[in-house]
Amino acid sequence: MLTLERRAHPRYPFLSKARMICPEITYPGTLIDISIYGALFYASFIDNAVPGTRCVLQVLNLKEDMLFQVNGAIAHTGQSLVGIEFAPLDHALQSRIRQITLFNLAPPGHAERELAALLKPKPTTPPDSERINRFQ
């Protein structure tokens, strides 16, 4: 069952490597979702992540090169998840975030597919030479 998105600016699923940098500590982890106003960040170890603490979220590609970074503050924490509220973004960064969310949207239902179905090999058609030999 789908839940209704109640945010004025909905967050979009965006799985990516990320780092949350707070005073004196850096948390490597995963970006779960993002909007132009905030993001949900996962790290296996979150220590001293207190709501209101200022932080920087760095969004990384697979090679761990930085795509962009955003200043913000911790809005809430729980079970290795941190909600980050962004400081006001300039127009260029808002456009960048909107652009990457558009390119990252998967068709509905992809998230609900079983891993085995995703890994199942596609049926292949035999080469023309094999098909011709079968019918001769």
Side-chain angles (χ1 to χ4, degrees):
M1 180 172 169
L2 295 175
T3 58
L4 294 176
E5 177 64 60
R6 296 182 186 192
R7 293 180 177 97
H9 298 278
R11 291 190 182 172
Y12 297 96
F14 191 82
L15 291 176
S16 175
K17 290 183 179 186
R19 281 190 290 260
M20 182 177 73
I21 303 169
C22 295
E24 302 178 19
I25 191 160
T26 298
Y27 300 98
T30 305
L31 183 66
I32 304 295
D33 65 30
I34 192 168
S35 79
I36 61 169
Y37 289 98
L40 185 61
F41 174 79
Y42 168 84
S44 59
F45 173 75
I46 300 285
D47 186 34
N48 298 327
V50 178
T53 303
R54 293 187 183 275
C55 62
V56 174
L57 178 68
Q58 294 181 335
V59 179
L60 312 171
N61 65 16
L62 291 175
K63 295 180 182 178
E64 297 200 18
D65 297 324
M66 189 169 49
L67 297 172
F68 62 89
Q69 74 176 22
V70 183
N71 293 319
I74 296 172
H76 59 84
T77 64
Q79 298 181 349
S80 298
L81 294 172
V82 177
I84 301 170
E85 182 179 356
F86 296 157
L89 305 178
D90 64 29
H91 181 71
L93 192 49
Q94 285 183 23
S95 295
R96 178 112 169 104
I97 290 172
R98 284 187 180 113
Q99 180 185 29
I100 65 168
T101 58
L102 287 174
F103 288 115
N104 193 53
L105 293 177
H110 260 90
E112 288 133 31
R113 292 174 64 189
E114 294 292 332
L115 183 59
L118 295 171
L119 298 176
K120 190 179 218 179
K122 293 180 182 178
T124 58
T125 307
D128 286 341
S129 60
E130 287 182 30
R131 286 190 295 159
I132 293 169
N133 290 337
R134 283 188 200 165
F135 297 106
Q136 288 182 350

